[in-house]
Amino acid sequence: MMIIERLKSIPSTQDYIKKYIPKRQNAVVVAEEQTAGKGTKGRTFISEKGGLYVSKLHFHEFLPAKDCHQIMVNTAMAVVKTLLAFGVDARIKWPNDIWVNNKKICGILTQNSFKGEFVDYSLVGIGVNLNNDIAKEIVDIAISLKQATQKEVDGQAFLLTLLHNLNQTSLISDYKAYNLVLGKQITVCKDNQNYSAIAVDILQDGALLLDNGEKLYAGELNVKISL
Ligand code: BTN
């Protein structure tokens, strides 16, 4: 059983949904706007009306901790499949930003909790620019689905398609095929150091392999692409 709770305005669905953790209740929380949306690496995520802000809490039964990258793969591919169904060609900027026309349309935040050798629960947050205007400060790097398709998007239909796709398992080969970093020169910002490398592969465990032999894992690092 899964609960779906819809709210008009909330600081962050990602915080709000945590109330279901002690009850071990699978849940989805959807907000029309967030006043303190959370991004990766402690950043804020601008979350104005017209966008879609969803958090999903899922208790896993037998997902080995070593396979936890599958959560990111499934989530990123669910967003890609949903955007494809709504008529835009979306790509993944490793590890989990979704881009359309070389601009970010969606950000994903995944937080996993482990119990021994297994994933206990995952908390996945998805913020999609649907019909919202893009804030001035990010207009060069962000895009909405409305801008990309030149028409108002049916938010309810988008949400239902996304929730359906989130229940599907995706292959790492698809996550790789839809990634836009492969073969590109990227700038890696890690431990306060910046360096350039070419992204050559995405491995079975979701790691990004660089031409210098290094394997990057999603986390406290930042990858920029020069397109
Ligand atoms: C990023 O691009 O840095 C990740 C953004 C994740 C935003 C979503 S919106 C729903 C959920 N609630 C939050 O506060 N953040 C996530």
Side-chain angles (χ1 to χ4, degrees):
M1 216 262 285
M2 188 183 75
I3 282 183
I4 300 188
E5 193 174 347
R6 307 191 69 147
L7 302 155
K8 282 216 168 318
S9 182
I10 189 93
S12 163
T13 56
Q14 201 76 358
D15 286 338
Y16 182 86
I17 202 168
K18 289 183 180 151
K19 70 173 186 176
Y20 291 110
I21 295 174
K23 303 174 195 160
R24 302 189 68 77
Q25 169 70 62
N26 289 335
V28 169
V29 173
V30 186
E32 286 175 22
E33 79 174 344
Q34 298 183 117
T35 51
K38 291 189 164 169
T40 53
K41 301 172 212 79
R43 298 194 193 124
T44 49
F45 186 78
I46 302 172
S47 311
E48 291 175 358
K49 269 209 173 67
L52 179 67
Y53 312 104
V54 185
S55 288
K56 179 175 174 177
L57 171 66
H58 184 78
F59 286 87
H60 296 266
E61 302 242 316
F62 299 111
L63 179 63
K66 66 172 181 35
D67 295 336
C68 68
H69 60 275
Q70 193 61 46
I71 296 163
M72 169 179 84
V73 168
N74 289 345
T75 309
M77 280 307 300
V79 175
V80 166
K81 286 177 198 163
T82 307
L83 287 167
L84 290 174
F86 278 74
V88 291
D89 196 13
R91 289 286 179 273
I92 302 160
K93 199 212 95 180
W94 185 94
N96 50 13
D97 276 354
I98 311 300
W99 283 25
V100 166
N101 298 345
N102 294 334
K103 290 181 173 180
K104 179 165 166 173
I105 197 164
C106 166
I108 298 170
L109 183 63
T110 53
Q111 298 169 289
N112 302 326
S113 177
F114 300 92
K115 209 183 236 173
E117 301 285 286
F118 292 91
V119 180
D120 184 22
Y121 63 83
S122 59
L123 218 176
V124 170
I126 304 168
V128 195
N129 296 319
L130 286 187
N131 295 312
N132 52 303
D133 292 330
I134 302 296
K136 265 203 311 293
E137 56 269 41
I138 53 170
V139 80
D140 292 335
I141 51 167
I143 191 171
S144 68
L145 186 53
K146 182 180 170 180
Q147 274 177 332
T149 58
Q150 307 278 307
K151 54 175 193 272
E152 189 85 9
V153 181
D154 179 344
Q156 174 72 2
F158 190 94
L159 172 67
L160 293 179
T161 309
L162 178 64
L163 293 179
H164 171 77
N165 287 334
L166 282 171
N167 276 339
Q168 314 296 312
T169 302
S170 290
L171 297 173
I172 192 98
S173 55
D174 286 332
Y175 176 75
K176 182 173 158 178
Y178 279 98
N179 234 288
L180 54 71
V181 295
L182 294 181
K184 300 231 167 73
Q185 166 120 26
I186 59 167
T187 306
V188 182
C189 317
K190 194 173 154 190
D191 305 328
N192 287 328
Q193 279 192 318
N194 280 6
Y195 54 95
S196 287
I198 298 189
V200 291
D201 201 4
I202 286 171
L203 307 177
Q204 278 304 315
D205 62 358
L208 184 67
L209 178 67
L210 305 181
D211 60 340
N212 62 12
E214 192 183 355
K215 288 182 201 167
L216 298 182
Y217 289 90
E220 294 305 304
L221 61 85
N222 203 355
V223 165
K224 291 193 184 121
I225 327 176
S226 359
L227 290 166

